[in-house]
Amino acid sequence: MARKGGVLSQLDLVIVLAAGEGTRMKSTRPKVLHEIAGATLISHVLTATKELKPHELRVVVGAAADEVKLEINQIYPSAKTVLQEVRSGTGDAVRRALTKSDSGKVLVCAADTPLITTETLAALVAAHSKSGAAATVLTTEVPDPTGYGRIVRDAGKLTKIVEERDASESEREINEINTGVYIFEIEKLFNSLAGLSNSNSQGEAYLTDVIAILKGKGESVATYEAHDFTEFLGINDRSQLADVSAIYRDRINEALMLSGVTIVDPQSTWIDLSVEIASDVRVEPGTTLRGNSKISSGAVLGPRTTLVDCKVGAGAHILESHCESSEIGAGAKVGPYAHLRSGTVLAGDVKVGSFVEMKNAEVGTGSKVPHLSYVGDAKIGKESNIGAATIFVNYDGVEKHETKVGDHVRIGSDSMLIAPVSIGDGAYTAAGSVIDEDVPAGALGIGRARQVNILGWVLKKRKGTKSAAAAEKKEK
Ligand code: UD1
Ligand code: MG
């Protein structure tokens, strides 16, 4: 059953506890489905444990079980779920997840501590194997142990874990806490779980009581102390969610900076775990990069730019803009204040300037949409220029239609291109035109009333105004 690969081969089972209700989140969404760095709390824990390559993983679910199961299935399709309908304590949850025929080693952890790392879990597995104990408890020292179970020792050896509410005054002063992560020899755990009672302040079967039970049976119980207590910060309310998010943000930014990405202001830069960034990218303050975004070398993002599921080519600059599900070619310049919506594909060296919104639009190499435009459902060729305030009128109130603009086209300012319509290669449109017929290659499309000047009108119709006085002076 054991595979090659050191500690990775030594776990038979992982049990993740996720049946709690998370009432303090005050949310319609189950606690473990809240997100940090673009991924749910439970997915962070499942990902950390997955890399340990246990032979099996079981998750105890309860509150909003169906929703939680869907997420588990996405992240870890081979995981099994066990239902704990009524919250009866961590000991009860583990009891439900085990059967008499299970054997080997089990790692138990909770789904609401998303900062735990595979490295620390692997170190715990290694420590447990070395000690040969019936159980190894992962502990850590915290500056403020309020709320945690305390590690009670006698002559340096763990004797029991006592929960905050059941602890004596002197026990409450202990700073070494139970992280809620353990490894057990399964048969010994199984037998001890039968002996749990509910006679504590919460009337629950505590998993932590197994430690004293094992000790009572003469079994040895080891501890492994982790040095970075922040890995075990749990999330019970939105304030802790924000604290843990910030720690996670720092971790991601630190790793990116060490890999060669410049992050000018790490505290205001939020990057999802799933984002890929090449070296020599520069991220300016106030920038958020989300989802499956992929950024190539030399790009400059921000300040105050949000990208969701975007691909950015080498050397592109995106300034003060919001872009979703778009591709921005190498050397392209976007912003300030552009909104690229889903399906926008900019080739290399395209410019999209201020107050431009685009949707489902392909723009060819070197073309420019510099100011105040809406470009929806369009294909624009190479090196064309779309004049200021041009609107691609794609919606007739019922359906959307496409506009085609060829290569080297000059669209005059304030043109309305009423789709479906096509502007041929090298064509021009006159400023202020409403274009609802195709313009052939090389033609000038004019779609506006011819200007008429009525001479002397102001002097006649606006007598006595400042305009009339100014006009009169000029006439003399
Ligand atoms: C638990 C430990 C405590 C430790 C702390 C670390 C116990 C009794 N106490 O306390 O020593 O310091 O974690 O964070 O174990 N859950 C279920 N079913 C239940 C109860 C809980 O699945 O019936 C799940 C919860 O969803 C959660 C995890 O178990 O993911 C821990 O439960 P929680 O209520 O958060 O325990 P703590 O009070 O934090
Ligand atoms: Mg907790």
Side-chain angles (χ1 to χ4, degrees):
M1 169 143 105
R3 291 179 225 153
K4 282 187 180 167
V7 297
L8 297 183
S9 60
Q10 293 166 13
L11 276 182
D12 297 279
L13 179 62
V14 167
I15 297 175
V16 178
L17 304 181
E21 281 151 32
T23 42
R24 280 172 286 172
M25 294 299 281
K26 303 221 164 61
S27 176
T28 52
R29 197 193 296 188
K31 172 166 88 174
V32 295
L33 299 188
H34 280 260
E35 290 186 1
I36 278 180
T40 59
L41 303 186
I42 192 166
S43 77
H44 286 289
V45 175
L46 291 179
T47 305
T49 53
K50 197 176 189 176
E51 288 178 38
L52 297 170
K53 298 190 169 52
H55 297 124
E56 207 186 321
L57 183 133
R58 296 177 197 158
V59 187
V60 183
V61 294
D66 290 341
E67 273 176 82
V68 176
K69 276 191 209 168
L70 278 178
E71 172 72 356
I72 294 167
N73 197 37
Q74 292 261 323
I75 308 291
Y76 205 138
S78 65
K80 298 205 171 89
T81 53
V82 180
L83 190 65
Q84 184 198 33
E85 270 170 284
V86 181
R87 184 193 160 102
S88 317
T90 47
D92 177 73
V94 171
R95 200 154 48 193
R96 280 166 200 277
L98 285 178
T99 65
K100 218 172 172 193
S101 56
D102 290 321
S103 65
K105 298 181 201 310
V106 60
L107 180 141
V108 178
C109 63
D112 65 351
T113 49
L115 296 172
I116 54 172
T117 62
T118 306
E119 292 70 33
T120 300
L121 295 177
L124 172 68
V125 177
H128 177 80
S129 295
K130 204 166 155 203
S131 75
T136 304
V137 181
L138 185 57
T139 75
T140 193
E141 287 217 11
V142 290
D144 175 12
T146 310
Y148 291 99
R150 308 297 205 279
I151 298 296
V152 181
R153 293 181 183 270
D154 184 18
K157 288 226 151 59
L158 171 67
T159 53
K160 64 173 179 174
I161 299 172
V162 59
E163 292 306 297
E164 162 113 359
R165 302 184 199 210
D166 305 298
S168 67
E169 220 151 277
S170 60
E171 285 167 340
R172 280 188 194 173
E173 272 162 32
I174 300 171
N175 282 71
E176 190 187 7
I177 58 110
N178 169 28
T179 62
V181 184
Y182 329 74
I183 294 183
F184 296 99
E185 295 300 316
I186 295 178
E187 285 100 336
K188 289 175 182 168
L189 170 64
F190 191 83
N191 293 332
S192 302
L193 285 167
L196 287 183
S197 86
N198 294 349
S199 52
N200 50 55
S201 62
Q202 297 199 80
E204 291 186 349
Y206 289 166
L207 178 60
T208 44
D209 287 347
V210 162
I211 301 304
I213 294 175
L214 285 170
K215 294 290 284 195
K217 290 180 176 177
E219 298 287 353
S220 76
V221 176
T223 56
Y224 174 74
E225 190 179 338
H227 294 292
D228 179 6
F229 73 89
T230 63
E231 273 193 40
F232 311 99
L233 293 174
I235 293 172
N236 298 306
D237 58 36
R238 309 266 183 157
S239 168
Q240 289 167 327
L241 182 71
D243 291 345
V244 172
S245 293
I247 294 171
Y248 212 96
R249 174 205 60 206
D250 292 346
R251 255 194 210 173
I252 290 173
N253 288 346
E254 187 71 19
L256 286 170
M257 290 188 282
L258 293 178
S259 78
V261 175
T262 295
I263 299 181
V264 176
D265 180 23
Q267 289 200 3
S268 70
T269 303
W270 295 82
I271 301 174
D272 282 356
L273 191 57
S274 46
V275 172
E276 284 177 44
I277 311 187
S279 63
D280 285 324
V281 166
R282 181 178 169 90
V283 185
E284 299 279 355
T287 293
T288 300
L289 308 177
R290 306 202 46 207
N292 295 316
S293 294
K294 208 172 164 190
I295 319 295
S296 302
S297 186
V300 179
L301 309 177
R304 290 169 294 281
T305 287
T306 298
L307 305 184
V308 185
D309 298 328
C310 288
K311 211 172 145 196
V312 177
H317 283 219
I318 308 177
L319 172 67
E320 307 255 14
S321 291
H322 188 101
C323 311
E324 306 132 32
S325 305
S326 295
E327 284 183 38
I328 292 128
K333 300 230 172 343
V334 175
Y337 319 119
H339 183 189
L340 304 187
R341 291 164 51 201
S342 145
T344 299
V345 180
L346 309 182
D349 299 318
V350 162
K351 178 180 164 64
V352 174
S354 324
F355 306 106
V356 172
E357 176 177 341
M358 287 199 174
K359 182 214 75 169
N360 188 28
E362 281 175 34
V363 185
T365 310
S367 285
K368 294 179 179 159
V369 189
H371 336 268
L372 302 160
S373 290
Y374 173 63
V375 180
D377 301 310
K379 281 201 174 74
I380 300 175
K382 290 180 211 145
E383 298 196 34
S384 287
N385 190 76
I386 310 297
T390 293
I391 304 297
F392 284 56
V393 184
N394 61 329
Y395 187 43
D396 62 12
V398 181
E399 283 178 58
K400 306 276 166 78
H401 303 280
E402 195 186 60
T403 299
K404 283 196 181 130
V405 174
D407 298 340
H408 296 280
V409 167
R410 298 286 176 266
I411 301 289
S413 291
D414 202 22
S415 291
M416 300 285 139
L417 306 180
I418 302 190
V421 73
S422 156
I423 316 294
D425 290 345
Y428 277 54
T429 67
S433 287
V434 176
I435 300 291
D436 57 0
E437 281 175 28
D438 289 354
V439 179
L444 167 67
I446 309 179
R448 65 184 190 210
R450 193 169 274 281
Q451 183 172 331
V452 176
N453 293 334
I454 304 174
L455 299 177
W457 185 90
V458 174
L459 283 179
K460 235 186 263 166
K461 300 283 191 189
R462 295 290 182 270
K463 250 182 223 159
T465 64
K466 285 185 179 169
S467 302
E472 205 168 13
K473 205 166 148 197
K474 194 77 191 169
E475 274 186 4
K476 278 180 187 164

